[in-house]
């Protein structure tokens, strides 16, 4: 019988089956798993002959198996179980400390072996490892299935994210496959790419009954971080006249989203690491811990992998947080979305300002397609609203994009950036050949609008016109570029 059938939130998503003929050990082990590990999706079997039937009728991911039982021994059941259910992890918890028996069980396919007198903390860590392995295996299987089938089970959860990009569709498929995991999710991407929208979508399909609680941790000193996340007891510090619950408790049964995690101070990083490792925390002024019942999402626009290599971010915390990690592509990497998003924002702006939505010229689309949008979707939205506010009548042109006129058409390359790469085994093109290649590419990107192509190349429109005429004359006369 499931001991937690009446509970709203079960962890893990799959069941843990305890097979032991001693009811007292069932009770003590079950209480330890619930109180110290938050593991409450438990099933109990006192008769080893019924274990296989329970595996048939329930979604079991981990079996905690005793060896010395009447009717059918644990070793006999282990052989049957690993053959019939090879994807289930079996942890042996035996009353006997025998090395030969432990080796034999591992050879038969057991995940791990513990003695009942083992320290509870060590046993709990071993069971947690088995759970995490099963979660990762199931998520990998689900991800493989989604990628191969190219399907989304909950497309409505992503409806606030306008896109027709294949790269974004792959992101959505990955997020669906890890949405029901209990492990942290790290959302990486440049500012303005919509990381909070992603967090909302994953929370919506996570199946969690609690709410999504968001906090930007950038600039929080250690005490404010402590108080914000963990809360405080009355009298914990000067001014603490009443007890206050922290955001970890507010997000209980749901998701806690920590934005700008790369700006977290080292002392606060230690507290977050302990929260993830132990699954418990102390409100300020409290002498008894509380268990965390929320899943953690974090987001950053920084390169945390580089930060941890440089010692600016704790390595152990980084690896705890990036169990599941997704990189949101910048807008310049999904240019097929630019027209869709600009039209949406422009219509939104027109409705907001009481104006009719305008028509758009090919010149405008060419100009937008050849801008790098360092501010991503947030910048595109601002550009659309500004253009609608300035537009008077007729089709909207590139000249209406004041914010675009104030910036260079392409992202300014850094000192060591390489815009063009050449295969080392091939000959270098001549300057004349490169001139022709650049002009043709610029005209293609500008939809053959000479004004836009000239802006891309950084030359005047008359200068481009002369070069095009020379290229046409050379082609007509059969002259190859020098």
């Amino acid at each position: 019988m499931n001991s937690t059938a009446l509970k709203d939130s079960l962890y893990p998503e799959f069941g843990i089956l305890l097979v032991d003929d001693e009811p007292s050990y069932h009770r003590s082990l079950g209480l330890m798993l619930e109180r110290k590990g938050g593991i409450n999706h438990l099933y109990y079997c006192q008769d080893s002959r019924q274990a296989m039937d329970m595996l048939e009728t329930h979604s079991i991911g981990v079996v905690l198996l005793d060896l010395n039982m009447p009717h059918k021994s644990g070793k006999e059941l282990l052989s049957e179980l690993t053959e019939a259910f090879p994807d289930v992890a079996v942890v042996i918890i035996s009353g006997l400390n025998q090395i030969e028996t432990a080796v034999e069980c591992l050879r038969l396919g057991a995940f791990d072996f513990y003695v009942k007198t083992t320290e509870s903390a060590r046993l709990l860590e071993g069971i947690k490892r088995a759970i995490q392995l099963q979660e990762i295996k199931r998520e990998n299987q689900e991800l493989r299935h989604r990628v191969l089938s190219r399907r989304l089970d909950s497309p409505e959860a992503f409806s606030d994210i306008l896109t027709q990009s294949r790269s974004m569709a792959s992101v959505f498929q990955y997020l669906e496959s890890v949405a029901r995991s209990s492990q942290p999710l790290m959302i990486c991407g440049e500012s303005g790419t919509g990381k909070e929208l992603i967090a909302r979508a994953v929370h919506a399909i996570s199946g969690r009954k609690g709410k999504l609680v968001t906090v930007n941790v950038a600039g929080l000193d250690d005490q404010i971080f402590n108080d914000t996340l963990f809360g405080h007891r009355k009298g914990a510090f000067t001014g603490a006249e009443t007890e206050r619950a922290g955001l970890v408790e507010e997000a209980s049964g749901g998701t806690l989203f920590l934005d700008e995690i790369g700006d977290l101070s080292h002392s606060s990083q230690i507290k977050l690491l302990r929260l993830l490792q132990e699954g418990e925390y102390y409100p300020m002024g409290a002498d008894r811990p509380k268990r965390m019942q929320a899943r953690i999402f974090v987001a950053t626009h920084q390169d945390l992998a580089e930060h941890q290599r440089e010692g600016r971010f704790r390595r152990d915390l980084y690896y705890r947080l990036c169990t599941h990690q997704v990189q949101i592509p910048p807008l310049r990497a999904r240019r097929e979305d630019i027209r869709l998003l600009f039209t949406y924002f422009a219509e939104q702006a027109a409705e907001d300002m009481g104006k009719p939505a305008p028509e758009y010229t090919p010149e405008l689309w060419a100009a937008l397609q050849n801008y790098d949008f360092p501010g991503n979707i947030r910048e595109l939205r601002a550009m659309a609203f500004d253009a609608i506010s300035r537009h008077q009548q007729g089709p909207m042109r590139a000249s209406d994009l004041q914010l675009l006129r104030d910036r260079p058409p392409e992202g300014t390359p850094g000192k060591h950036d390489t815009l063009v790469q050449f295969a080392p085994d091939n000959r270098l093109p001549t300057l004349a050949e490169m001139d022709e290649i650049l002009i043709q590419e610029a005209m293609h990107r500008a939809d053959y609008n000479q004004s836009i192509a000239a802006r891309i190349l950084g030359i005047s429109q008359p200068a481009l016109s002369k070069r095009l005429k020379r290229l046409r004359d050379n082609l007509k006369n059969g002259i190859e570029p020098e």
Side-chain angles (χ1 to χ4, degrees):
M1 177 182 176
N2 188 342
S3 69
T4 55
L6 299 178
K7 295 192 177 181
D8 291 333
S9 179
L10 295 177
Y11 171 74
E13 185 181 359
F14 48 80
I16 311 295
L17 177 61
L18 283 63
V19 184
D20 195 303
D21 63 318
E22 297 180 35
S24 60
Y25 191 70
H26 276 185
R27 286 193 298 272
S28 62
L29 181 57
L31 283 172
M32 187 271 287
L33 293 176
E34 290 195 46
R35 291 177 179 177
K36 295 186 177 181
I39 301 166
N40 59 6
H41 196 171
L42 303 174
Y43 296 86
Y44 299 98
C45 177
Q46 289 181 223
D47 188 335
S48 57
R49 294 171 296 183
Q50 298 172 1
M52 295 298 285
D53 289 338
M54 293 190 72
L55 284 158
E56 290 281 0
T57 55
H58 300 286
S59 177
I60 302 296
V62 177
V63 173
L64 309 181
L65 178 62
D66 184 26
L67 288 183
N68 298 309
M69 293 182 291
H71 309 302
K72 184 183 290 187
S73 72
K75 191 181 292 186
E76 184 181 354
L77 182 57
L78 173 63
S79 297
E80 293 180 15
L81 202 155
T82 52
E83 181 178 349
F85 301 95
D87 291 332
V88 173
V90 182
V91 177
I92 303 296
I93 306 178
S94 173
L96 300 176
N97 186 3
Q98 296 177 338
I99 294 177
E100 296 84 358
T101 302
V103 171
E104 177 68 10
C105 289
L106 295 175
R107 188 186 66 79
L108 290 172
F111 175 78
D112 214 336
F113 185 102
Y114 292 93
V115 180
K116 286 186 178 181
T117 55
T118 299
E119 183 186 350
S120 62
R122 182 165 164 261
L123 174 59
L124 179 60
E125 282 304 310
I127 294 171
K128 282 183 175 180
R129 281 196 301 273
I131 291 172
Q132 289 168 4
L133 175 67
Q134 290 301 93
E135 287 179 331
I136 291 170
K137 283 170 64 177
R138 290 182 175 218
E139 287 154 13
N140 286 342
Q141 290 169 355
E142 179 65 14
L143 178 59
R144 189 182 305 114
H145 178 63
R146 290 180 190 277
V147 170
L148 290 175
S149 63
R150 296 189 175 184
R151 67 173 173 84
L152 284 175
D153 288 338
S154 305
E156 68 284 353
F158 301 97
S159 59
D160 288 340
I161 305 172
L162 295 181
T163 183
Q164 53 192 12
S165 163
R166 183 66 204 139
S167 62
M168 286 299 290
S170 297
V171 167
F172 295 164
Q173 288 171 332
Y174 173 77
L175 292 171
E176 269 202 344
S177 72
V178 302
R180 292 184 174 272
S181 169
S182 62
Q183 299 301 310
L185 169 66
M186 182 185 293
I187 306 170
C188 303
E190 296 178 8
S191 294
T193 50
K195 295 187 287 296
E196 187 168 349
L197 285 177
I198 290 291
R200 288 180 197 166
V202 180
H203 173 74
I205 55 179
S206 68
R208 293 179 171 267
K209 294 179 172 60
K211 60 184 177 179
L212 174 71
V213 177
T214 301
V215 57
N216 189 318
V217 299
L220 297 185
D221 65 29
D222 191 45
Q223 180 168 339
I224 296 176
F225 175 83
N226 232 9
D227 192 27
T228 301
L229 260 65
F230 307 138
H232 63 256
R233 293 282 183 262
K234 181 180 179 181
F237 51 85
T238 304
E241 298 178 357
T242 59
E243 182 174 321
R244 188 178 75 83
L247 296 184
V248 175
E249 186 170 339
E250 188 180 337
S252 183
T255 306
L256 179 62
F257 177 41
L258 306 178
D259 202 3
E260 300 300 348
I261 194 70
D263 293 323
L264 199 61
S265 69
H266 270 268
S267 53
S268 296
Q269 288 177 32
I270 294 171
K271 290 181 172 62
L272 179 58
L273 176 63
R274 186 181 185 281
L275 178 69
L276 293 169
Q277 285 179 330
E278 307 297 332
E280 60 183 28
Y281 63 97
Y282 286 86
M284 295 177 69
D287 54 6
R288 295 185 64 183
K290 288 188 172 185
R291 286 219 59 80
M292 178 179 69
Q293 301 292 341
R295 185 183 181 188
I296 300 290
F297 290 174
V298 299
T300 181
H301 68 279
Q302 303 179 37
D303 186 347
L304 283 194
E306 183 64 26
H307 284 199
Q308 63 90 11
R309 283 192 292 269
E310 295 173 353
R312 287 185 283 164
F313 197 86
R314 289 185 65 96
R315 180 169 298 182
D316 44 9
L317 177 58
Y318 171 75
Y319 286 115
R320 283 276 179 180
L321 291 173
C322 70
T323 305
H324 302 306
Q325 182 175 359
V326 66
Q327 182 77 36
I328 311 303
L331 187 55
R332 63 182 172 277
R334 46 186 178 109
R335 294 185 184 274
E336 61 268 42
D337 286 343
I338 291 175
R339 184 167 183 164
L340 172 71
L341 288 165
F342 186 86
T343 303
Y344 172 76
F345 290 136
E347 290 175 354
Q348 199 178 61
E351 182 179 353
D352 187 56
M353 299 176 198
K355 291 184 171 184
E359 298 292 327
Y360 308 98
T361 64
E363 176 197 16
L364 177 132
W365 298 128
L368 289 172
Q369 284 291 332
N370 286 283
Y371 180 62
D372 266 357
F373 291 100
N376 291 290
I377 298 170
R378 189 178 295 130
E379 182 180 12
L380 177 63
R381 183 183 185 278
M383 191 178 291
F385 271 73
D386 181 73
I388 290 294
S389 68
R390 295 173 183 276
H391 182 258
Q392 297 300 320
Q393 58 184 1
M396 183 177 286
R397 302 179 180 278
S399 57
D400 291 315
L401 302 175
Q402 179 66 36
L403 294 179
L404 187 59
R405 292 207 306 268
D406 294 342
R407 294 173 172 85
E410 296 284 349
T412 305
K415 183 173 154 185
H416 302 293
D417 287 351
T418 303
L419 295 180
V420 181
Q421 294 182 341
F422 301 98
D425 296 334
N426 295 345
R427 75 171 182 85
L428 284 174
T430 65
L431 288 176
E433 288 171 336
M434 280 302 298
D435 191 62
E436 180 180 0
I437 292 168
L438 283 172
I439 290 172
Q440 289 177 346
E441 179 63 22
M443 289 294 289
H444 173 71
R445 292 191 180 195
D447 200 19
Y448 298 94
N449 182 294
Q450 289 191 25
S451 297
I452 300 297
R455 280 188 79 235
I456 294 171
L457 293 168
I459 60 177
S460 67
Q461 193 274 329
L464 175 61
S465 184
K466 288 180 182 178
R467 289 169 185 257
L468 286 168
K469 183 177 183 304
R470 185 169 69 247
L471 288 174
R472 284 194 296 270
D473 290 343
N474 289 344
L475 184 63
K476 183 178 178 180
N477 296 325
I479 300 174
E480 294 290 332
E482 298 179 358

